[in-house]
Structure formats: structure tokens, C-alpha cells
Amino acid sequence: MKVFVVALAAMALCSPVAADQVFHKGEDRVQVFLGVMDLNDQTGELQNDNGNNDPVEIDFSELPTIGLEVETPYGSRDSGLEYGINAGGGISWKGDDTKFAGKVAGSGSTVFFRIDNSVTIVEAHIGGYIRAHLGKTADVYLGGGPAVIFGSHDVEDEEEEEVPVTTANGTIILKESDSSDIILGYYARAGIEFDLGSGAQWGLGVRYLGGELDFDDTVGKFDLEGVQVLLTYSAWF
């Protein structure tokens, strides 16, 4: 997967030069998507004042996701294999009424707890794509490249300023806090779309976001491994 993403990123970086040597169709395919994002379970460290940085297993719920992709083809968009530049972005979030689940291990005992929190992932990217036309009824596509990713994690408790969690090693204080980070990561996308007529298509797609965020005031370093399952709608503009 990483080799494929790097290859497409290189194609995207080279495409402005190649664009002067091939015919640019002059129209963009705009894809709007809606779906959910599943973040892989993580292991982090609670950033507390007790100095222990207690380990915690992180299990975020699925995040609603919306966004768009813009494909600018080079060469004929009606050829069997279309290629070009892919730019876009999206936002995934979970509101304040959701829960953050974790467990803290200490001296042979495990304590489970759930606290209010909100998570937001925003990303923008540019890379390359290839799209194969399966006759006049369906397309399959692949894309990938670098992405700028912003993440925010807010720990909230509406009733108390601090949330105590007691373990065999003492009491861990989970303070009401928030943390954010912005990184250079990568994305990959794939999907299939079916013709609706008049230059419009609908389909199913998947996207992947990767990188490492540092929520230094809440759970520390966080390996972002997010898979998005999407419903898509595309049209020419």
C-alpha cells in the first residue's frame, strides 16, 4: 500500500510538467462523499499531573465523515484508462455527547472508565489518480498521495472540573483538557461508480488516512490509522 501511495504521489508532483505535453480536457469531475470513519484501536499514555503517564487503551467510536474529491484528467476522459491530478479533503468528527473508552492497568488490577470527549479529524490532500472505464456503465478508480491532517481531541466533563480514576497505584486525575496537532501524512482512495446518465455517477468507495498525531495534553502520541467507508456522487463541472 505504501509503495503504491508513494508512486502516485510522485506522479502528482510530476504532472504539472507533463501537463504541458498532453491535452488537458478542461473539465473537472467533482465527487461528494458521505460515510463513516473507523479509527484503529490505539495504546496511549494519559497526560496527567501525577507524572506516571499511565498507559491507556483507546477505542474511539466510528466518526461521521463528509468531504469532496476533485479529479482533473489529462488526455481524453473517455479513453479506457483515465489519469490525472486528484485534490480534495474531508472532515470526520464525534460530538461532545459521545464517550471515550479506556482502561488503566496498575499492580495486577485493571480499571475501566468512560469520559465525555469529542474528536475531530480534518484533512486536505493532493495526489494522483487512475480511473478505468468498464464500458459505459461503471468506473473503478485508485488514488493517493500526501495529505495535511489536523486532529483535535477534547476531554470534557460537564459536572466536575476533574474526573478521578482510582487504581491500585493511587488516583489518576483526568483533567478537562483539549489537545490538537497538525501533520503531513498520506491518503489513499479506491472505489467503483455507476453511470446515472448526463455525466453523473454514484458509487461506493473507501479512503485511508495515515500519520502520527501528538495529543500532548490528553493521550499523547496517536497513530492515525483511519479507514473511511463512503457513499459517493460524482458529476462533471
Side-chain angles (χ1 to χ4, degrees):
M1 173 63 76
K2 290 185 178 180
V3 174
F4 171 72
V5 171
V6 170
L8 285 174
M11 182 177 70
L13 293 175
C14 294
S15 57
V17 177
D20 294 334
Q21 303 172 357
V22 298
F23 175 70
H24 181 195
K25 188 67 178 179
E27 293 182 275
D28 296 330
R29 179 188 291 106
V30 178
Q31 179 190 85
V32 179
F33 60 79
L34 175 68
V36 294
M37 180 177 185
D38 181 33
L39 293 175
N40 286 0
D41 293 351
Q42 304 286 330
T43 299
E45 293 184 342
L46 294 176
Q47 309 301 298
N48 299 300
D49 293 337
N50 61 10
N52 293 331
N53 287 347
D54 303 272
V56 59
E57 293 186 7
I58 308 167
D59 181 12
F60 287 113
S61 301
E62 292 180 342
L63 283 63
T65 298
I66 60 172
L68 62 82
E69 304 282 354
V70 178
E71 296 178 353
T72 302
Y74 290 94
S76 174
R77 77 183 195 191
D78 299 319
S79 61
L81 186 63
E82 176 189 322
Y83 66 94
I85 293 177
N86 165 214
I91 178 171
S92 305
W93 75 97
K94 201 69 173 178
D96 296 340
D97 58 346
T98 63
K99 299 292 183 181
F100 169 79
K103 65 180 180 180
V104 177
S107 299
S109 64
T110 301
V111 176
F112 291 85
F113 59 91
R114 298 172 68 87
I115 56 177
D116 291 334
N117 82 111
S118 61
V119 182
T120 304
I121 304 292
V122 181
E123 56 88 16
H125 59 258
I126 186 169
Y129 81 94
I130 54 175
R131 181 179 283 259
H133 303 298
L134 307 180
K136 297 182 179 180
T137 58
D139 290 355
V140 293
Y141 60 85
L142 296 170
V148 177
I149 303 172
F150 169 82
S152 174
H153 180 220
D154 298 336
V155 176
E156 299 184 7
D157 182 73
E158 297 178 355
E159 297 180 357
E160 302 179 32
E161 293 183 357
E162 296 181 346
V163 183
V165 178
T166 303
T167 71
N169 289 335
T171 299
I172 299 171
I173 300 298
L174 304 178
K175 289 189 174 181
E176 184 171 351
S177 184
D178 60 82
S179 189
S180 62
D181 193 17
I182 185 168
I183 62 168
L184 180 63
Y186 60 92
Y187 81 100
R189 58 188 288 261
I192 184 169
E193 292 188 315
F194 301 94
D195 184 57
L196 292 175
S198 301
Q201 297 172 298
W202 70 269
L204 297 173
V206 293
R207 296 170 79 245
Y208 180 86
L209 291 179
E212 184 180 76
L213 293 164
D214 189 357
F215 295 145
D216 54 2
D217 291 329
T218 56
V219 293
K221 291 184 178 180
F222 181 83
D223 290 327
L224 176 64
E225 299 177 16
V227 177
Q228 300 171 347
V229 180
L230 309 169
L231 179 66
T232 66
Y233 174 83
S234 297
W236 288 96
F237 288 91

